[in-house]
Amino acid sequence: MCGIFGIFGHPEAANITYLGLHALQHRGQESAGIVTTDGRQMFVHRHLGHVADAFSETDLQRLPGHAAIGHVRYSTSGDSHIRNAQPFAVDYARGSIAVAHNGNLTNARNLREHLEARGSIFVSNSDTEVIVHLIATSTQRAVQDRIEEAMAHARGAYSLVFLTEENLIAVRDPYGFRPLCLGELDVASSREKAVLIASEGTSFDLVGARFVREIRPGEMVSIDRKAIRSTMPDLLAGLSVDHRLCIFEYVYFARPDSVINGNSVYTVRKAFGAKLAEEHESQADLVVPVPDSGVPAALGYAERAGLPFEMGLIRSHYVGRSFIEPQQTIRHFGVRLKFNAVASHLRGKRVIVVDDSIVRGTTIKKILLMLRHAGAKEVHVRIASPATLWPCYYGIDTPTRSELIASTRSNDDIRQFIGADSLGFLSMEGMLSVVDHSKDATRVCSSFCDACFSGHYPVPYDDSIPPRHLRLVGN
Ligand code: AMP
């Protein structure tokens, strides 16, 4: 998963983008990058690691200009390497173009084979580079037309921001898999307003911008010095079937303080929890969330079940990427580094533990051991989404089927494996009933992609061509 940001018409474009990326850090922690333009040239800085570590004050000063795009990356396609860090920026016969991408193209390998056969040479193994080559080889004149033509070849999930010397352009795929929204910001030194694009509106709050609206599936928004234009390009709209906003954005990925498709993510998560309580009630003394991802759902569960809510697990937010493990092996060190149980509130209690999802099942298993060690008498696990059974091809990093615990084990096998007294998942119907907008014309997306739970893939994944062998090593 990734986060993207863009701004046009602000004298501090790089600084605002840097802050915007901070608010999107949850969408990707592997690398961060910003490209700016002053109308004549482009300036690029990309670095591995978190936003705070990727840019120094000097780095930001070296990114002048009134327009910028930025990206935080969580690799779902291509290795974790600086060459795959985004935004991608290239020069070609018609100027320069940079792109930041959230989503995964399902036919990237095929497109790449095709482009290579025509002479394109790739520097990365990320699917996003394919987009740049398609634009460079387009026969159209205007950059908007070149982008439209390029994206008409692409399949799968893409929310994109492009930067040229003259334009900032945002595009959302016709299915609307990934969120994308539009904002505006007053510019102190003039009466103009800067235009902003971001994966999630929380980044607008941080920079003092206003949320204007969500970008529609299949929409292109093009901004230059004179105007902001919205179009529904025929080549993209022609591909549209149903809208397929990723439901996992609500379950886990988006920040709870974001609004997606007109819904507060926090409210949706609480409603998932309440529904879960209706579907899987249990005699218990208290409800404990797995922080942070399980908190809103646990609140909703506790409220509906009429049970006390307690922070029986405390999460450390300061776990760095590298730490020194003691020489004497400590069992389950990794999870202890992140969580600890509050024994005083758990001893002798029947506890309901609520989390957002189970993927491999390893985290919850260790948490349960911790709770029992702290004296919990019974531990009942409630998961605020259905069992994750299928991998995602549209930008969420879910493992292969064999690694997904629910794809090979029955409910009772999972219960035994994780060591729970009982286990309940939110049903598919329960989940969809919370977010059903099929009859609400004011929403930009009318329906959802739930492939990770249902196996119903709206766009087939094209793996007919074997994986690339280019491995990127070192820095
Ligand atoms: P596990 O079952 O041990 O693989 O981990 C499940 C937990 O990881 C869930 O409770 C989520 O909070 C979190 N999670 C779910 N999906 C993802 C993802 N794609 N990337 C990172 N963490 C995730």
Side-chain angles (χ1 to χ4, degrees):
M1 184 55 78
C2 300
I4 60 175
F5 190 89
I7 182 164
F8 191 95
H10 199 286
E12 287 192 86
N15 287 346
I16 303 275
T17 304
Y18 169 76
L19 294 173
L21 292 181
H22 258 288
L24 297 173
Q25 185 75 83
H26 62 289
R27 297 184 72 86
Q29 300 89 41
E30 247 178 52
S31 65
I34 296 178
V35 175
T36 62
T37 184
D38 59 4
R40 292 187 303 274
Q41 296 180 67
M42 294 231 195
F43 305 86
V44 185
H45 180 88
R46 304 180 304 166
H47 209 277
L48 289 178
H50 288 193
V51 178
D53 305 321
F55 299 91
S56 66
E57 233 177 298
T58 319
D59 294 331
L60 288 172
Q61 281 160 6
R62 288 192 191 126
L63 294 168
H66 62 279
I69 61 172
H71 188 267
V72 284
R73 180 162 195 266
Y74 185 137
S75 74
T76 50
S77 161
D79 300 330
S80 168
H81 188 277
I82 192 66
R83 274 203 269 165
N84 282 332
Q86 295 191 30
F88 275 112
V90 293
D91 284 323
Y92 70 111
R94 290 187 174 270
S96 311
I97 191 160
V99 60
H101 176 199
N102 176 204
N104 253 19
L105 302 186
T106 52
N107 64 338
R109 286 188 201 145
N110 231 327
L111 289 173
R112 187 174 168 139
E113 289 281 307
H114 180 70
L115 286 159
E116 282 177 344
R118 285 185 0 195
S120 295
I121 293 176
F122 287 76
V123 295
S124 77
N125 55 13
S126 146
D127 59 338
T128 311
E129 199 184 350
V130 168
I131 297 171
V132 177
H133 283 271
L134 287 171
I135 292 170
T137 54
S138 163
T139 52
Q140 301 294 322
R141 278 185 71 83
V143 67
Q144 292 84 353
D145 296 336
R146 298 174 84 89
I147 292 172
E148 179 182 344
E149 191 180 273
M151 298 322 296
H153 292 290
R155 297 288 177 272
Y158 53 87
S159 280
L160 299 160
V161 271
F162 295 93
L163 187 71
T164 70
E165 284 90 345
E166 291 91 31
N167 304 88
L168 175 73
I169 298 168
V171 181
R172 188 170 178 188
D173 72 64
Y175 295 89
F177 281 107
R178 300 283 148 231
L180 197 62
C181 49
L182 190 68
E184 62 179 21
L185 175 63
D186 296 328
V187 181
S189 52
S190 74
R191 289 167 63 198
E192 307 276 296
K193 285 183 175 46
V195 182
L196 285 77
I197 305 286
S199 296
E200 292 180 43
T202 38
S203 51
F204 297 157
D205 297 340
L206 178 63
V207 300
R210 283 177 298 282
F211 176 90
V212 175
R213 66 175 176 86
E214 291 175 68
I215 292 175
R216 286 168 291 161
E219 181 179 1
M220 175 186 287
V221 178
S222 175
I223 303 128
D224 62 22
R225 288 246 180 235
K226 290 193 216 100
I228 157 163
R229 289 181 204 88
S230 157
T231 52
M232 298 292 283
D234 286 347
L235 286 175
L236 301 189
L239 295 171
S240 177
V241 206
D242 283 330
H243 298 153
R244 293 295 184 193
L245 173 63
C246 166
I247 204 153
F248 209 70
E249 293 275 353
Y250 286 125
V251 171
Y252 171 76
F253 224 89
R255 256 173 65 152
D257 50 341
S258 280
V259 170
I260 293 184
N261 207 30
N263 288 320
S264 144
V265 174
Y266 182 82
T267 307
V268 169
R269 286 187 191 157
K270 272 190 85 176
F272 284 168
K275 203 84 197 158
L276 183 63
E278 285 169 22
E279 293 182 354
H280 299 280
E281 227 189 306
S282 183
Q283 299 297 315
D285 301 310
L286 44 97
V287 176
V288 167
V290 177
D292 297 322
S293 56
V295 173
L299 279 165
Y301 190 105
E303 226 170 77
R304 183 61 53 93
L307 289 170
F309 171 94
E310 293 288 356
M311 291 298 290
L313 283 162
I314 301 300
R315 177 175 170 185
S316 166
H317 291 99
Y318 311 105
V319 184
R321 280 192 309 158
S322 58
F323 50 83
I324 298 157
E325 217 171 318
Q327 291 197 334
Q328 281 234 320
T329 315
I330 298 177
R331 274 172 64 74
H332 311 305
F333 183 71
V335 80
R336 280 178 201 229
L337 204 63
K338 207 164 155 189
F339 298 105
N340 199 13
V342 185
S344 55
H345 278 69
L346 297 167
R347 210 168 292 123
K349 297 281 168 45
R350 297 168 301 166
V351 179
I352 293 183
V353 185
V354 179
D355 202 0
D356 65 286
S357 58
I358 289 186
V359 181
R360 294 180 177 85
T362 45
T363 313
I364 195 79
K365 183 181 169 83
K366 290 172 185 170
I367 282 175
L368 261 49
L369 275 172
M370 199 174 259
L371 294 175
R372 291 206 192 271
H373 189 71
K377 194 166 80 185
E378 289 174 22
V379 186
H380 302 273
V381 173
R382 298 290 178 267
I383 302 296
S385 63
T388 308
L389 295 170
W390 302 88
C392 176
Y393 299 132
Y394 313 124
I396 301 247
D397 183 28
T398 26
T400 56
R401 263 214 102 190
S402 57
E403 292 169 280
L404 293 167
I405 184 169
S407 75
T408 51
R409 294 178 192 241
S410 69
N411 218 49
D412 200 53
D413 283 350
I414 303 173
R415 183 193 65 73
Q416 280 184 35
F417 172 80
I418 65 177
D421 291 296
S422 74
L423 169 66
F425 289 93
L426 180 62
S427 70
M428 195 73 153
E429 302 71 43
M431 182 178 66
L432 290 172
S433 72
V434 171
V435 290
D436 181 15
H437 301 315
S438 51
K439 293 187 186 70
D440 183 350
T442 64
R443 312 283 177 155
V444 299
C445 289
S446 53
S447 50
F448 296 89
C449 174
D450 52 26
C452 52
F453 305 122
S454 66
H456 298 140
Y457 291 100
V459 183
Y461 180 68
D462 182 0
D463 57 358
S464 53
I465 297 166
R468 313 291 317 171
H469 299 298
L470 173 65
R471 276 205 62 78
L472 304 170
V473 291
N475 285 317

